[in-house]
Amino acid sequence: MDSSVSRDAGITRDAGITMEKIVSLAKRRGFVFQSSEIYGGQSGAWDYGPMGIELKNRIQRFWWKEMTQLHDDIVGLDAAILMHPRVWEASGHVENFTDPLVDCKKCKQRFRADQIDQAKLAKKECPECGGELTDTRKFNLMFKTNIGPVDDGTGLIYLRPETAQGIYVNYKNILQSNRMKLPFGIAQVGKAFRNEIVTKNFIFRTCEFEQMEMQYFVKPGEDEKFFDYWRGQRWAYYEKLGVRMDKLRWHQHGKDELAHYAKDAYDIEYEFPMGFKELEGVHNRSNYDLTRHQEFSGKDLQYIDQDNGNERYIPFIVETSAGLTRQLLMVLCDAYEEQKVGDKGNEDDWRTVLHFHPELAPVTVAVLPLMKKDGLAELAQDIRQGLKQEFSTDYDQGGAIGRRYRRQDEVGTPFCVTVDYQTKEDGTVTVRFRDSMEQIRVKREELELTLKKAIKEYKRV
Ligand code: ATP
């Protein structure tokens, strides 16, 4: 089967993959589309197609399981996107969530002052056309809108720029309703909105995105211990996710980068095609957040430590803050490979393969009849039906079997099950493994167990 496949696999081309290739594959195979494309596109926004939504949901589930199911002291929350405007005053976003901006008076382009040539900025010279730049001014990144029937400014409301504040304002509710004791954490996944001026690099930086955040509440003095603990946990998560660990590194925030309230902060960075960039942050936020919300709301947010003589204090917070959509981009880039699999001297010698962890792959198993005729299609459909309860499946009967394998490789399907004439005779099928392209024959009754075992034991080669 698939006799065109040569075993000199292992040769890859394009060690340096480009963002163009990722964008093109993402569109071609239904992972990510430009928002409102038929109207020329909406910058800063992207739509997730049939493959993209499956991948995004699976990454989210992987993170959720890691943070809640595998950590007894973390519970979940889904807070509203629209929050009381005072929240954003207390959090400091109204005052400080700004980017420094300059405009060119000649070509009218807008730049982030901290991202252009600083010598040119000092001379007020446009980096694009040499025209004169305006003075630098602060630009707030929060989207404003209006709630209620009249648009006279009294109904000002913001689209949340992060999910974290929804957690802080529910801290007391969760403490009481779920009888939590310190230390404990609250996890949340949801949309966030930022009026980013420079939205490039595909879905890396967008105006609408999703975050996966966990806020861990601890006794003051224990914050450094838990900060180290969470750094370790978050690093281990990426190992489980099956990404290439040599592409990850830590970046500690220097004094000039550290937010005014933060005691310490590290980013996990990934080497994207455009270089090392932030993937997620682990921050020691001190007791800033709850102190501010106590001050602005007038509500007592102290923790009463019943195990220590009813001592009262405002907890410190260790935060792990990851971008879901940014992680999806990382997973796509990390999985992508162009691999030599034949020697005919043409394009068929190469396959594009996405080495997703099987738990992340949009389709887990594709069932392919060798031929449409002689009852093979019906038999394959029946086998697919039997797998559906346990796995996400696909069925493809169109074209040469080698082509069909390639199509599945390109969307990262880890297993293909091929149904042929022998299946009719002895009830066995072929299981083809995406990464090694190895094929084994198994009995139909053993298929489910074989696949489950392979998923459990999966290791990226
Ligand atoms: P950056 O410095 O890249 O603007 P940040 O330090 O402001 O990011 P945080 O506020 O710490 O980011 O947000 C936590 C995570 O949310 C980031 O690590 C990133 O994964 C994600 N994120 C932040 N802004 C965006 C965005 N505009 N588009 C997509 N993901 C984002």
Side-chain angles (χ1 to χ4, degrees):
M1 215 165 284
D2 197 17
S3 55
S4 67
V5 171
S6 131
R7 290 302 140 130
D8 71 348
I11 303 173
T12 59
R13 68 180 174 194
D14 262 322
I17 64 154
T18 60
M19 200 54 99
E20 286 72 29
K21 287 193 171 180
I22 298 293
V23 176
S24 155
L25 174 76
K27 178 171 181 191
R28 194 169 67 247
R29 298 310 309 271
F31 284 92
V32 184
F33 307 119
Q34 202 182 8
S35 162
S36 321
E37 191 182 335
I38 60 169
Y39 288 98
Q42 172 58 52
S43 74
W46 296 86
D47 299 340
Y48 291 81
M51 290 291 153
I53 177 65
E54 292 293 339
L55 181 58
K56 185 149 71 73
N57 282 345
R58 281 167 171 71
I59 295 172
Q60 177 177 336
R61 239 182 277 149
F62 201 94
W63 183 89
W64 192 260
K65 177 178 174 187
E66 169 70 23
M67 301 308 264
T68 63
Q69 195 172 322
L70 300 181
H71 286 94
D72 300 340
D73 54 0
I74 299 182
V75 290
L77 173 74
D78 185 21
I81 289 172
L82 301 178
M83 301 180 75
H84 195 290
R86 289 275 285 166
V87 167
W88 306 109
E89 288 171 33
S91 69
H93 282 80
V94 170
E95 198 183 340
N96 297 319
F97 197 52
T98 55
D99 274 347
L101 279 197
V102 287
D103 289 298
C104 174
K105 291 180 182 171
K106 194 170 155 202
C107 71
K108 309 289 181 209
Q109 280 204 69
R110 181 167 279 184
F111 306 94
R112 262 181 65 172
D114 56 337
Q115 288 182 350
I116 59 172
D117 184 332
Q118 295 301 297
K120 288 194 170 153
L121 179 69
K123 288 190 280 175
K124 288 195 162 185
E125 183 186 319
C126 172
E128 289 294 323
C129 74
E132 191 192 344
L133 292 176
T134 60
D135 286 338
T136 305
R137 61 203 161 74
K138 280 181 168 183
F139 174 79
N140 196 295
L141 298 181
M142 280 197 294
F143 280 105
K144 286 180 194 160
T145 185
N146 179 66
I147 195 160
V150 271
D151 189 4
D152 62 358
T154 53
L156 168 72
I157 199 159
Y158 300 97
L159 297 186
R160 70 178 176 202
E162 61 175 32
T163 56
Q165 300 302 325
I167 296 179
Y168 305 146
V169 301
N170 276 294
Y171 147 79
K172 201 101 204 203
N173 283 337
I174 290 178
L175 195 64
Q176 287 163 352
S177 65
N178 291 61
R179 305 177 65 238
M180 307 303 287
K181 283 191 170 182
L182 291 192
F184 76 94
I186 303 174
Q188 177 167 224
V189 180
K191 291 246 177 183
F193 302 84
R194 296 182 186 179
N195 196 359
E196 301 275 7
I197 298 314
V198 185
T199 53
K200 53 180 186 183
N201 291 322
F202 193 31
I203 54 172
F204 178 80
R205 183 182 301 286
T206 50
C207 292
E208 177 176 345
F209 56 101
E210 279 173 78
Q211 289 186 313
M212 306 186 287
E213 295 198 301
M214 192 283 297
Q215 310 293 323
Y216 201 70
F217 300 85
V218 303
K219 185 176 181 174
E222 295 196 338
D223 49 303
E224 285 175 23
K225 178 178 85 185
F226 283 112
F227 181 64
D228 290 344
Y229 169 77
W230 278 108
R231 280 186 55 210
Q233 290 291 298
R234 294 310 301 152
W235 190 260
Y237 162 87
Y238 290 102
E239 277 171 345
K240 291 188 205 169
L241 201 63
V243 297
R244 287 173 290 175
M245 296 307 285
D246 57 337
K247 292 265 185 186
L248 291 174
R249 72 177 186 195
W250 285 106
H251 164 74
Q252 184 178 17
H253 286 208
K255 281 209 165 60
D256 50 332
E257 287 170 276
L258 215 53
H260 58 282
Y261 50 79
K263 242 179 100 173
D264 205 354
Y266 279 80
D267 292 337
I268 297 178
E269 295 185 335
Y270 180 80
E271 191 177 13
F272 288 95
M274 65 279 189
F276 274 100
K277 299 272 180 205
E278 175 179 337
L279 194 57
E280 89 167 74
V282 183
H283 309 135
N284 181 342
R285 300 181 63 107
S286 73
N287 60 2
Y288 173 82
D289 305 288
L290 291 181
T291 307
R292 291 280 288 191
H293 283 302
Q294 175 165 284
E295 192 186 314
F296 278 68
S297 68
K299 297 282 184 308
D300 183 0
L301 297 181
Q302 291 180 99
Y303 178 74
I304 304 170
D305 195 341
Q306 290 168 345
D307 297 336
N308 285 300
N310 287 338
E311 193 187 340
R312 287 167 177 261
Y313 48 79
I314 297 267
F316 269 48
I317 292 173
V318 174
E319 158 184 81
T320 73
S321 174
L324 168 55
T325 40
R326 193 173 286 184
Q327 206 170 106
L328 185 146
L329 177 63
M330 182 275 281
V331 166
L332 264 182
C333 294
D334 197 74
Y336 186 96
E337 188 180 25
E338 290 178 14
Q339 200 177 37
K340 187 158 195 275
V341 289
D343 337 278
K344 288 186 183 155
N346 59 31
E347 266 309 297
D348 284 349
D349 290 350
W350 293 90
R351 69 166 183 162
T352 298
V353 54
L354 294 178
H355 297 281
F356 292 140
H357 188 296
E359 283 190 35
L360 299 186
V363 175
T364 315
V365 49
V367 183
L368 320 170
L370 189 63
M371 302 279 180
K372 277 183 259 185
K373 54 183 188 180
D374 302 330
L376 293 186
E378 291 76 9
L379 188 53
Q381 286 283 19
D382 191 51
I383 289 173
R384 181 195 189 187
Q385 202 59 31
L387 293 170
K388 265 186 184 173
Q389 281 294 341
E390 295 296 322
F391 309 101
S392 114
T393 61
D394 190 12
Y395 173 84
D396 186 3
Q397 62 177 26
I401 191 75
R403 282 270 149 81
R404 282 184 268 162
Y405 286 149
R406 297 284 193 287
R407 282 206 287 269
Q408 296 297 335
D409 288 343
E410 217 186 22
V411 292
T413 306
F415 314 108
C416 288
V417 168
T418 311
V419 175
D420 57 16
Y421 290 102
Q422 198 181 328
T423 314
K424 281 175 77 175
E425 279 162 30
D426 65 5
T428 62
V429 293
T430 302
V431 178
R432 184 242 193 204
F433 297 87
R434 175 198 67 203
D435 291 356
S436 63
M437 290 182 294
E438 191 196 335
Q439 301 184 6
I440 57 169
R441 269 206 102 86
V442 298
K443 289 202 187 103
R444 191 178 160 178
E445 309 83 76
E446 289 165 9
L447 195 49
E448 191 179 315
L449 263 185
T450 306
L451 297 178
K452 282 189 172 160
K453 188 160 175 280
I455 293 172
K456 204 156 190 204
E457 291 171 358
Y458 178 80
K459 281 250 161 347
R460 171 90 183 257
V461 279

